[in-house]
Amino acid sequence: MDTAIVGAGVGGLYTAWRLLGCGQSPGGMAVFEASARVGGRLLSVTMPGTTGIAAEFGGMRFLSSHALITSLATKFCLGIREFTTGNSESIFYSRGKQWRAGDIAKKQPLPYGLRPDELYLDPFELIVKAVRRVMPSMKHLSPDEWAKMKESLTLDGFPLIDWGFSNLLGRFLSDEALQFIEMGIGYSAVVSNWNAADALSLVIEYTGSPTEKTLVDGMQALPNALAAAVMREGSTIHHQHRLVSLRAPAQTGDGLHELVFTTPDGPRVVRARRVVLAVPRRAIEIIDDCAVLKELPIAALLATVTPRPLGKVFLAHEQPWWRSLGLTSGRATTDLPIRQIYYFGTEPDRPAGATGHLTMGYFDRPQLDYWAGLRRLEQPGASGFTMLDPDGPVATEVRRQIGVVHGLDQPIAAPLSVGFMNWEEDPYGGAWHTWNQGVKSWEIMKKIASPVPGTALHIVSEAWSTKQGWVEGALETAEAVVGTITRIPAN
């Protein structure tokens, strides 16, 4: 065939759809997916006991400034609604104390020994305080202006890209502030020691586009719509095809790539003039036979990013236990292993006819190890997405920690159903990626679209983008690859 696309996540499907729109012959292109579904790291599940409400075990939101996903949702008539992360009534629970987000502005005491200049700032405001020491003009910068500035910006005589983000924050904030930030942001990885210049890009993006959105029917509705469009055009999506060997034209000697897949019916060999790997870093690394991508220069290119593990647990309920606490949506954050607790089903713009309610626990490393260990008690050897016993060890501990965080006299009632997902496990390696210290991301992104010079081999992934962790990042890299293949400018 002409083009073989490996991976039916949103990046791979978008690449296929765009190539078809640019004149690619439908019969000369196919998408190959290792699993039995489409969507990759977008996984929307209807939990038993609920209807019309999606449990987002994968990506669950996007920013209002993300133009590609917004235009795609409009193109496919996918409803968009606000995604609420909280308000002044949102709960914090840390160091054995509970308080509300609004208490910070009210100058109520917190269980952290902050410096006088750090008092009465929330975790994100503390990050912005540190960033302004590096870039006083950050409020007036557009993303494009910042993308250029970060190439030459320095701190204490060192290029900003050589700084780790945690080191940068520690340069201007107290140790207590750093601990408050990690607890309040809810993610350990966000404030870890990844490339400070690219971390600042995330801060600037949030500062300029504070509104978060989601899809009414769940984020997986987007790859589902793309898959349907690709198949309507006459191309094929082959499920349960796991790539185990990729030999480049330099090895085959006939100008074609040779791909070998394992399938339920045995090995399948495909020969293609062009290959698009629309998968994360770990999925590339575990291709058993792929000499061209294991050569040192290419392997070093792929290793410029680090996968970041994330896990989620969802509990389904008939009634919203949180309503009596004055909560309608958003989240609580804590230093307990559950880290973030979200409430779904009582938000103001809930779709009509939906029944049931959801609580989500959301955590990364090291807390992910805590929950993965509890799942192993119940399901030894389990991986990926699984449903759990509502009375099992994971559900019991989630209920206990919810009670502690929210000051309940007793644990919430046993849920109707429980689901668990660990994105660290193969083939994903993590839920999102961060650029490593010292990496010139703007140079790597130019190379990753065609990492092997002179070879029609391309990579699409949020991992090597300006918007890591977002659907928009995968779509941006897909646009770069489509432009490389067709020489047609991006939309």
Side-chain angles (χ1 to χ4, degrees):
M1 62 180 59
D2 185 65
T3 304
I5 298 175
V6 180
V10 69
L13 294 169
Y14 180 70
T15 302
W17 179 72
R18 285 281 285 117
L19 287 174
L20 289 168
C22 292
Q24 167 78 57
S25 169
M29 180 176 67
V31 180
F32 300 88
E33 166 60 35
S35 73
R37 67 177 188 90
V38 302
R41 284 170 284 164
L42 298 182
L43 176 59
S44 305
V45 176
T46 299
M47 297 284 288
T50 70
T51 62
I53 183 171
E56 299 284 24
F57 283 91
M60 60 184 178
R61 56 193 166 187
F62 56 95
L63 296 179
S64 55
S65 59
H66 290 173
L68 288 172
I69 186 173
T70 301
S71 64
L72 267 183
T74 302
K75 169 75 175 179
F76 290 112
C77 300
L78 303 177
I80 297 175
R81 64 178 179 85
E82 298 290 324
F83 184 95
T84 305
T85 55
N87 52 38
S88 62
E89 294 303 309
S90 297
I91 289 175
F92 289 94
Y93 180 88
S94 182
R95 298 181 175 181
K97 304 292 183 181
Q98 185 203 83
W99 70 94
R100 301 275 178 147
D103 292 343
I104 299 174
K106 295 176 183 176
K107 301 186 178 181
Q108 298 296 315
L110 304 181
Y112 289 88
L114 301 174
R115 297 186 318 223
D117 64 311
E118 297 168 340
L119 292 172
Y120 319 128
L121 299 177
D122 68 31
F124 188 74
E125 289 171 337
L126 285 168
I127 291 176
V128 171
K129 173 183 173 64
V131 171
R132 283 179 176 162
R133 296 291 298 275
V134 182
M135 273 191 323
S137 61
M138 65 168 290
K139 269 194 169 183
H140 308 290
L141 286 176
S142 69
D144 289 340
E145 289 171 333
W146 164 241
K148 188 64 178 175
M149 179 181 288
K150 74 179 182 182
E151 298 181 14
S152 58
L153 202 61
T154 62
L155 175 62
D156 293 346
F158 297 97
L160 193 61
I161 62 169
D162 290 347
W163 279 82
F165 190 41
S166 181
N167 296 144
L168 182 147
L169 295 176
R171 172 72 174 74
F172 301 109
L173 300 173
S174 69
D175 295 333
E176 285 287 282
L178 293 183
Q179 293 180 52
F180 180 39
I181 288 170
E182 182 175 351
M183 184 283 301
I185 293 295
Y187 304 90
S188 296
V190 169
V191 291
S192 64
N193 242 12
W194 57 299
N195 189 306
D198 290 288
L200 264 60
S201 298
L202 179 64
V203 175
I204 291 169
E205 187 170 35
Y206 256 103
T207 303
S209 179
T211 306
E212 295 184 336
K213 306 285 187 178
T214 192
L215 299 181
V216 172
D217 295 324
M219 292 292 288
Q220 195 176 335
L222 178 57
N224 289 347
L226 285 166
V230 167
M231 290 187 289
R232 280 197 304 270
E233 292 293 327
S235 284
T236 306
I237 300 173
H238 300 281
H239 292 281
Q240 295 181 292
H241 278 59
R242 185 173 75 86
L243 183 63
V244 295
S245 175
L246 173 59
R247 300 178 69 223
Q251 296 172 278
T252 63
D254 61 2
L256 297 175
H257 296 83
E258 180 188 85
L259 302 90
V260 180
F261 298 92
T262 58
T263 79
D265 299 320
R268 178 178 181 181
V269 179
V270 172
R271 302 181 72 78
R273 188 171 66 86
R274 178 186 299 110
V275 173
V276 178
L277 297 177
V279 294
R281 171 184 163 178
R282 178 61 181 165
I284 295 174
E285 292 175 339
I286 61 176
I287 300 172
D288 299 331
D289 177 18
C290 188
V292 66
L293 293 179
K294 296 185 188 298
E295 294 177 359
L296 285 179
I298 309 303
L301 189 70
L302 300 178
T304 53
V305 298
T306 296
R308 297 295 185 175
L310 283 173
K312 290 186 177 183
V313 58
F314 270 90
L315 278 61
H317 319 274
E318 185 175 351
Q319 298 296 330
W321 57 266
W322 54 87
R323 182 170 275 162
S324 62
L325 301 175
L327 303 169
T328 56
S329 60
R331 66 170 186 167
T333 55
T334 177
D335 57 1
L336 297 184
I338 198 168
R339 295 294 275 121
Q340 302 180 61
I341 301 168
Y342 280 81
Y343 330 97
F344 299 107
T346 51
E347 50 269 54
D349 52 355
R350 185 178 186 185
T355 61
H357 303 79
L358 299 171
T359 310
M360 181 183 78
Y362 192 15
F363 33 81
D364 59 2
R365 175 156 287 150
Q367 293 81 12
L368 175 57
D369 297 336
Y370 179 93
W371 297 105
L374 284 179
R375 180 171 70 164
R376 281 192 291 272
L377 293 176
E378 181 178 341
Q379 298 178 336
S383 64
F385 170 72
T386 59
M387 296 300 294
L388 300 175
D389 182 353
D391 293 310
V394 172
T396 299
E397 181 61 9
V398 169
R399 291 164 57 208
R400 186 193 72 82
Q401 292 191 24
I402 286 175
V404 171
V405 170
H406 293 82
L408 304 178
D409 294 333
Q410 57 186 6
I412 62 174
L416 302 172
S417 58
V418 181
F420 187 93
M421 181 63 192
N422 181 355
W423 289 104
E424 179 181 29
E425 294 157 342
D426 288 343
Y428 304 101
W432 67 299
H433 299 75
T434 56
W435 290 104
N436 297 337
Q437 278 182 257
V439 170
K440 297 179 179 178
S441 60
W442 58 92
E443 293 184 357
I444 301 301
M445 287 187 292
K446 293 177 182 177
K447 298 177 181 178
I448 207 71
S450 299
V452 184
T455 303
L457 176 62
H458 311 282
I459 293 177
V460 167
S461 174
E462 57 77 33
W464 298 277
S465 76
T466 62
K467 293 179 175 59
Q468 293 171 311
W470 297 107
V471 169
E472 194 79 358
L475 300 179
E476 283 186 353
T477 59
E479 283 291 345
V481 166
V482 170
T484 298
I485 292 171
T486 65
R487 304 300 176 187
I488 298 175
N491 287 340

